[in-house]
Amino acid sequence: MSGNPVSKPRTKPAEERRDELMVSAERLFLEKGLEQTTVEEITTGAGVAKGTFYLHFSSKADVLQALRVRFVQGVLDGIVAAVERRRQEDWRGKLAAWSRACATGYLDAAGLHHLAFVATPPATREGLSRNILIDHLSELLAAGAGGNAWSVDDPGFTAVFLFNALHGVVNQPTGETPADRAELLHKIEAHVLRLLGLPFSEAISAYSPTSF
């Protein structure tokens, strides 16, 4: 009795195909711009048939919205990882880590952020007052206030205020050298702490190896 080899799936999982389309679209959008990029170019870059695009997205604008969602989730993942490396009771360190990780996430993907939120802004500005980054910061501020690390009457309002201050700073033209970036992150971290009444000189920098 001859044995038949186990057949391998000929198609990739839908989520993997979707991700490949997004990677291709992001590269092309950054190189050529949204309007100049065609769906056919996206599918060619992803190595799939043109019809596959419409199994996952309704339009290029739909892809761009998916890239926005993935960008914000990626920044949040970096923030969560940085904050969780701090000791449970180190509220000051957690806040410093939050500010530095958030700014780093934006700086690391500055091109995509500009494309998705500045050059082609979302239909509403709700994301500046309500998003998963603000929610996470609001929860951190509330928890720190509960631990007597700082005094915050309205964590939600304060989170929106701090997020938009940080967002505005990282969107400004800055130098491109490592020293320029380090100085910017240092200033952001210091200002966030001071706005909560925490002298920066008393905090261990989130960038310090001793903080892990």
Side-chain angles (χ1 to χ4, degrees), residues 60-130:
K60 291 186 295 180
D62 193 23
V63 182
L64 185 62
Q65 178 57 28
L67 288 171
R68 290 186 184 114
V69 172
R70 190 170 70 174
F71 168 82
V72 177
Q73 184 61 54
V75 175
L76 179 62
D77 291 344
I79 289 172
V80 171
V83 170
E84 288 183 349
R85 284 196 291 266
R86 291 291 185 160
R87 298 188 310 276
Q88 183 60 37
E89 70 280 5
D90 184 13
W91 295 108
R92 190 174 296 179
K94 287 177 183 291
L95 184 60
W98 194 100
S99 64
R100 182 176 286 267
C102 184
T104 297
Y106 275 88
L107 293 171
D108 284 348
L112 176 59
H113 178 264
H114 181 82
L115 168 76
F117 295 94
V118 181
T120 313
T124 72
R125 295 176 60 83
E126 183 182 15
L128 294 177
S129 59
R130 185 178 179 183

Side-chain angles (χ1 to χ4, degrees), residues 26-187:
E26 179 180 344
R27 176 180 59 80
L28 288 163
F29 290 168
L30 290 173
E31 288 178 359
K32 304 179 61 175
L34 178 68
E35 296 301 325
Q36 290 71 32
T37 299
T38 66
V39 170
E40 186 172 2
E41 287 173 327
I42 294 172
T43 55
T44 297
V48 300
K50 188 174 180 179
T52 303
F53 177 91
Y54 294 102
L55 295 176
H56 301 278
F57 304 102
S58 61
S59 64
K60 291 186 295 180
D62 193 23
V63 182
L64 185 62
Q65 178 57 28
L67 288 171
R68 290 186 184 114
V69 172
R70 190 170 70 174
F71 168 82
V72 177
Q73 184 61 54
V75 175
L76 179 62
D77 291 344
I79 289 172
V80 171
V83 170
E84 288 183 349
R85 284 196 291 266
R86 291 291 185 160
R87 298 188 310 276
Q88 183 60 37
E89 70 280 5
D90 184 13
W91 295 108
R92 190 174 296 179
K94 287 177 183 291
L95 184 60
W98 194 100
S99 64
R100 182 176 286 267
C102 184
T104 297
Y106 275 88
L107 293 171
D108 284 348
L112 176 59
H113 178 264
H114 181 82
L115 168 76
F117 295 94
V118 181
T120 313
T124 72
R125 295 176 60 83
E126 183 182 15
L128 294 177
S129 59
R130 185 178 179 183
N131 64 47
I132 56 178
L133 305 179
I134 292 173
D135 290 343
H136 187 272
L137 178 56
S138 178
E139 292 170 4
L140 175 60
L141 292 173
N148 296 316
W150 46 68
S151 177
V152 176
D153 294 332
D154 188 340
F157 179 90
T158 304
V160 172
F161 184 90
L162 291 175
F163 172 79
N164 279 277
L166 184 153
H167 188 265
V169 169
V170 296
N171 279 335
Q172 298 301 309
T174 58
E176 297 181 358
T177 69
D180 292 331
R181 180 184 173 111
E183 182 181 4
L184 175 61
L185 292 174
H186 179 86
K187 287 181 177 178

Side-chain angles (χ1 to χ4, degrees), residues 9-25 42-43 45-48 52 55-57 70:
R10 293 185 177 182
T11 59
K12 296 180 180 180
E15 197 59 36
E16 188 174 343
R17 283 293 192 201
R18 185 176 189 273
D19 184 67
E20 289 174 346
L21 285 164
M22 290 176 64
V23 169
S24 176
I42 294 172
T43 55
V48 300
T52 303
L55 295 176
H56 301 278
F57 304 102
R70 190 170 70 174

Side-chain angles (χ1 to χ4, degrees), residues 193-212:
L193 291 173
R194 287 168 180 159
L195 285 169
L196 267 292
L198 306 173
F200 181 68
S201 59
E202 295 180 13
I204 298 175
S205 170
Y207 196 62
S208 169
T210 61
S211 65
F212 297 100

